[in-house]
Amino acid sequence: MGIPPEVQNVANQRIVEVLVSKLRRRQVVGSRQTAIETVLVLRQVVSKARFSNIEQLIHIIKAVGRRLVQAQPKEHTVGNTVRKVLHHVREEYQAVSRAGPSTQTAKSSFSISKFVSQGQPRKQNLTAPKSDTRSTSLRENDPNDPDSFAKGLKPVLMEAIQDVLDELETVYDNVSKSAKDHIHSDEIILTIGHSKTVESFLKAAAHYRNYIVIVAETAPSFGGHEMACSLSSAGISSFLVPDSSIYALMSRVNKCILGAHAILANGGMFAITGSLLAVSAAQAHSTPVVVCAGQFKLTPLWNLYHDYGALDFADPSSVLGFEEGSLVDKVDVINPYFDYVGPELIDVYITNDGDHPPSSVYRLIKESYDDDDHEL
Amino acid sequence: MPVAHSPIQALKSSSAVPTTILEDPSGSLSQQGFDVYASYQRILENEEIATPLAAILALTELIEHSKAGTMFELVKELHEAAEILKKRTTNPISLNAGTELFIAFVTLFPHESDNFADLKTKLVKQGQDYAAEALTFRGKISELALDFIKDDSILTHSYSRVVMQTLLRAHKQKRISVYVTEARPRGLGVKTYEALTAAGIPCTMVLDSAVAYVMDMVDFILVGSEAVVESGGLINAVGSNQIAIIAKAAKKPFYALAESYKFHRLFPLSQYDLPTHNDDILSFPRHAQRLSPVLTARPSVAPSPLAMTPEQILRNPRVDYTMPDLISLVFSDVGILTPEGVSQYLVGMFAG
């Protein structure tokens, strides 16, 4: 199929390059921040892109997505955001083209394999073709005016991308909405690291409840220090404890509330180092484990790559610095940044769109992304 | 197991049509000259075609031969044919999955055709198209499972076409080695062993009783299935359940491979809820026979005097049910599912 040369080059656009190098240098970190940056870049790319049919557009987005993912493969939200945008783009395209002349085909294409994968034919599908009146002048591959397709589609695409952006911007508020239903008065909550989602969740609950938070300091990044400061300045009574005392304190803890870096399709997650420790301790005491995370963290990966090598590694100097010069060349120092926490250790994910058990994460992923985008 | 049913008895019991059919004089299909069971058997001769698919194809042939003039009659005939197939086979579980799927499809098929003959040809075509498409499912599943296989030792049970295809596919890219259980009483593990060895995959036979011994040496377990039921549990050749229990105890992943036509609307709570279970299975002999093995009339083929008699074997189950909590993932052509995920598809098809 004919893909004009400019389509191929689009991945090298300046704006893409800027984000690629930022990702590579880790100037953009944090899953939400990278997700937002990715949407902004994609919005730019789509608004500038020239295409005359949907395949070209998808090809462009995928090419950009690939570049960004390669720049920082451990930052899963980049790929997720690209997949989400692709999903929305296809949806909009289908909505527009369904309104066009080719309505009859959908009806007669009911087959056994569709029946298996999509269930019973829905009644509203059969009555849908009523809205034929909304005539759209979308024509793919118009030889006279190759840009007409892009011109017609772009406004709805921009809206769709804006939706993705809005979702990212309101994610903390939406996760925190149900906070008071999960935290009760006089409970003792344990958390680890400095997750913005958990922070806003706890603060939202503090409007309604009086409770105590135990924050593990989370060596060697010590995100727990900031977390404890931030919580106590919001008037929540918080205790900062060393990681080594997590197990000892667990018997008094009512609930563990953690953040996630990425939620995997099997219901497991990548989370800040120390999470596995806390969760295992919680398991031993049958303490509920609650994970707060936006749905942009849903990643269509199974636990295939949870092996040690798949984890991100941080600067080892915080574990063993150069001041210990005599030791440095005698030992290998590694500082893995994330733990893989299996689905059997987690009770519930609180997301910006409802609470879900780990076993239904794969379904959320099926709903959020298209199957052919899992490999960008 | 229908132990007592000799083939002749089985034939008799099937020609004696079930009561529901007897109520209707025009019913019984065999009178119309089309033998659904014969066509089912003929289709099954094709190595590639799984039981549920053969059942679907047999039902499409039935539609071709059917003289039914209304949907109601047609569905009735299909139900009767399904009943016949079920009666005649010793282990109807996966067959039921196929017939149920097809009949549910037929009843829900949106028909805007002008005449009924037209609709019938459409249905036949749908069935055949599906069977043709379904042959690609194993390939799909093996691609999905490929990502989960590294240079691993894999334990498998008995013989399964989808597992074979997956292992052979993986062998092209990875260095796998396979332990295969003997899978008594049918001993189909030998078939797996021979096929894998012929393909150059390092392979070792394991006694069914040595599964716990070998468990620490394997990285994960890969089994096929007769059916995957609504709870996400698995019905497979007997022995799968104990393997899953041992795997759970050893914290090894237990993966089931199942084409989506094996999803079956059944919710067994225990082994004894399976349709294949009957009072004969593992029952105690009525008269406790104190005869020594030598005195029983047993053909002295077996070299060892300490082997089970054929009667004893017949009193054992052929399939067992593996609870969903023992299964890590179910690989199917509709995607990789957690066991709970299977019910979503079944509810989509059969509920509402």
Side-chain angles (χ1 to χ4, degrees):
Chain A
M1 93 186 171
I3 290 161
E6 69 259 30
V7 173
Q8 265 124 15
N9 295 336
V10 80
N12 298 325
Q13 277 175 15
R14 215 182 112 62
I15 177 152
V16 181
E17 281 307 313
V18 170
L19 182 57
V20 162
S21 42
K22 271 202 213 161
L23 282 171
R24 204 170 268 158
R25 296 180 200 133
R26 303 207 182 197
Q27 285 168 327
V28 203
V29 286
S31 35
R32 177 166 164 271
Q33 200 49 41
T34 41
I36 289 179
E37 297 267 345
T38 310
V39 186
L40 292 175
V41 166
L42 286 178
R43 186 166 70 176
Q44 281 272 5
V45 167
V46 171
S47 73
K48 281 192 196 158
R50 298 188 58 191
F51 50 92
S52 52
N53 57 35
I54 188 76
E55 283 83 25
Q56 287 180 356
L57 174 62
I58 288 191
H59 184 85
I60 291 171
I61 299 177
K62 275 196 175 181
V64 173
R66 249 192 322 269
R67 284 277 293 149
L68 295 175
V69 169
Q70 276 161 7
Q72 183 48 274
K74 309 278 168 88
E75 198 65 79
H76 304 281
T77 48
V78 176
N80 297 343
T81 312
V82 175
R83 288 179 193 107
K84 186 106 193 171
V85 168
L86 281 169
H87 178 73
H88 279 270
V89 164
R90 284 207 191 89
E91 238 173 27
E92 292 299 334
Y93 167 71
Q94 270 151 20
V96 171
S97 56
R98 203 181 300 133
S102 60
T103 35
Q104 290 90 335
T105 48
K107 202 170 163 187
S108 54
S109 64
F110 184 60
S111 69
I112 301 185
S113 53
K114 265 225 177 97
F115 176 52
V116 173
S117 59
Q118 292 166 10
Q120 299 182 359
R122 297 214 185 83
K123 296 212 173 62
Q124 61 263 37
N125 281 358
L126 297 176
T127 52
K130 258 189 279 174
S131 57
D132 263 29
T133 42
R134 207 181 106 199
S135 64
T136 39
S137 56
L138 265 192
R139 288 189 57 195
E140 289 191 51
N141 300 318
D142 190 339
N144 301 322
D145 185 6
D147 289 339
S148 76
F149 176 69
K151 250 184 253 157
L153 198 60
K154 265 182 191 173
V156 282
L157 291 184
M158 286 300 130
E159 253 172 62
I161 295 177
Q162 189 59 43
D163 286 347
V164 179
L165 195 59
D166 289 347
E167 190 197 320
L168 286 171
E169 275 166 353
T170 56
V171 73
Y172 295 153
D173 292 342
N174 285 330
V175 172
S176 312
K177 251 191 320 204
S178 62
K180 70 172 189 297
D181 305 327
H182 288 278
I183 297 175
H184 307 102
S185 286
D186 298 325
E187 277 194 329
I188 300 178
I189 309 288
L190 181 121
T191 187
I192 188 164
H194 187 207
S195 156
K196 290 265 172 53
T197 323
V198 174
E199 185 186 336
S200 66
F201 187 83
L202 292 174
K203 283 180 180 169
H207 293 307
Y208 305 92
R209 311 271 190 243
N210 218 343
Y211 63 96
I212 299 168
V213 181
I214 297 176
V215 186
E217 62 174 359
T218 328
S221 55
F222 298 111
H225 293 184
E226 295 158 43
M227 181 69 135
C229 290
S230 160
L231 290 178
S232 63
S233 64
I236 303 170
S237 49
S238 14
F239 292 87
L240 185 66
V241 300
D243 299 334
S244 45
S245 56
I246 287 178
Y247 190 92
L249 287 168
M250 192 55 80
S251 59
R252 303 197 47 193
V253 170
N254 298 95
K255 216 167 267 155
C256 273
I257 300 185
L258 309 176
H261 174 66
I263 303 173
L264 308 179
N266 67 340
M269 64 165 180
F270 288 135
I272 184 97
T273 326
S275 301
L276 186 56
L277 167 72
V279 167
S280 306
Q283 168 107 339
H285 287 92
S286 298
T287 307
V289 175
V290 175
V291 177
C292 297
Q295 292 212 346
F296 63 95
K297 291 180 181 175
L298 295 172
T299 307
L301 275 183
W302 297 85
N303 58 343
L304 316 174
Y305 314 110
H306 71 249
D307 285 336
Y308 177 74
L311 299 172
D312 205 1
F313 291 91
D315 170 18
S317 70
S318 52
V319 181
L320 186 81
F322 280 101
E323 57 274 19
E324 314 264 359
S326 57
L327 272 175
V328 165
D329 55 350
K330 296 194 184 79
V331 285
D332 281 336
V333 184
I334 44 156
N335 180 11
Y337 199 70
F338 298 118
D339 274 342
Y340 167 74
V341 181
E344 66 282 353
L345 299 168
I346 295 165
D347 290 289
V348 68
Y349 285 104
I350 298 176
T351 71
N352 48 333
D353 189 15
D355 305 347
H356 304 275
S359 59
S360 67
V361 167
Y362 85 95
R363 196 161 48 84
L364 294 176
I365 285 178
K366 257 187 180 268
E367 282 163 15
S368 329
Y369 312 123
D370 292 327
D371 286 347
D372 23 338
D373 296 335
H374 288 186
E375 290 287 329
L376 282 173
Chain B
M1 241 42 261
V3 185
H5 296 182
S6 74
I8 302 152
Q9 274 173 314
L11 281 175
K12 272 184 196 155
S13 67
S14 67
S15 57
V17 270
T19 48
T20 46
I21 296 172
L22 283 176
E23 288 164 14
D24 181 64
S26 72
S28 182
L29 294 155
S30 43
Q31 291 164 11
Q32 293 176 10
F34 176 70
D35 185 356
V36 68
Y37 184 70
S39 99
Y40 167 74
Q41 284 293 358
R42 177 172 45 73
I43 297 161
L44 260 191
E45 279 167 21
N46 183 342
E47 258 288 285
E48 284 300 301
I49 301 216
T51 325
L53 279 185
I56 289 176
L57 283 173
L59 290 185
T60 58
E61 287 190 12
L62 172 91
I63 295 180
E64 270 177 340
H65 288 83
S66 165
K67 295 189 188 72
T70 64
M71 199 60 178
F72 182 78
E73 282 170 26
L74 183 69
V75 171
K76 195 152 175 259
E77 281 186 17
L78 287 172
H79 274 298
E80 287 161 9
E83 200 60 38
I84 291 175
L85 289 176
K86 191 170 152 185
K87 280 267 151 66
R88 286 231 204 159
T89 39
T90 47
N91 172 13
I93 294 176
S94 61
L95 178 140
N96 280 352
T99 54
E100 268 181 20
L101 167 62
F102 189 67
I103 293 173
F105 174 76
V106 168
T107 49
L108 287 164
F109 189 68
H111 43 289
E112 63 255 32
S113 341
D114 300 331
N115 62 36
F116 195 65
D118 210 30
L119 177 65
K120 276 199 272 190
T121 35
K122 266 192 194 158
L123 286 171
V124 169
K125 181 150 175 12
Q126 288 284 353
Q128 287 163 347
D129 286 353
Y130 180 68
E133 191 189 343
L135 292 180
T136 65
F137 287 173
R138 289 193 194 118
K140 253 190 211 171
I141 293 172
S142 63
E143 290 299 327
L144 284 176
L146 186 65
D147 285 346
F148 285 69
I149 302 175
K150 286 171 281 181
D151 296 344
D152 284 331
S153 297
I154 302 162
L155 175 67
T156 186
H157 180 57
S158 190
Y159 179 83
S160 148
R161 282 165 289 205
V162 62
V163 170
M164 289 304 292
Q165 191 159 340
T166 305
L167 292 175
L168 294 172
R169 174 74 188 80
H171 177 58
K172 285 187 194 152
Q173 268 171 280
K174 331 232 165 165
R175 232 178 302 162
I176 56 166
S177 47
V178 178
Y179 296 96
V180 56
T181 54
E182 180 194 9
R184 290 257 288 153
R186 294 184 70 195
L188 283 174
V190 181
K191 190 172 169 188
T192 307
Y193 173 78
E194 279 166 1
L196 291 179
T197 313
I201 301 175
C203 189
T204 295
M205 295 278 306
V206 178
L207 282 173
D208 295 322
S209 42
V211 169
Y213 191 99
V214 82
M215 191 55 78
D216 281 341
M217 294 195 259
V218 305
D219 293 297
F220 62 89
I221 294 90
L222 205 59
V223 296
S225 55
E226 294 244 334
V228 180
V229 296
E230 199 157 353
S231 60
L234 183 74
I235 298 173
N236 195 26
V238 69
S240 302
N241 187 31
Q242 62 184 20
I243 296 179
I245 291 172
I246 296 169
K248 177 90 173 180
K251 295 204 166 65
K252 302 284 162 117
F254 184 92
Y255 298 136
L257 309 181
E259 301 91 327
S260 56
Y261 49 73
K262 288 181 175 169
F263 292 177
H264 188 20
R265 203 172 184 214
L266 201 68
F267 208 116
L269 297 173
S270 75
Q271 307 296 335
Y272 318 117
D273 297 330
L274 295 181
T276 48
H277 184 78
N278 57 41
D279 292 341
D280 248 2
I281 286 185
L282 297 178
S283 60
F284 295 99
R286 228 154 280 152
H287 314 287
Q289 291 169 342
R290 305 215 116 239
L291 300 171
S292 72
V294 190
L295 290 178
T296 53
R298 185 160 51 85
S300 54
V301 196
S304 156
L306 292 175
M308 282 171 84
T309 63
E311 298 79 54
Q312 284 170 330
I313 291 173
L314 275 174
R315 214 173 280 142
N316 268 274
R318 295 275 184 84
V319 293
D320 64 11
Y321 168 60
T322 307
M323 299 279 186
D325 55 313
L326 304 174
I327 300 168
S328 312
L329 291 172
V330 177
F331 292 80
S332 118
D333 47 278
V334 291
I336 304 168
L337 307 172
T338 49
E340 292 89 342
V342 174
S343 67
Q344 183 202 338
Y345 287 93
L346 284 163
V347 166
M349 286 187 276
F350 295 103

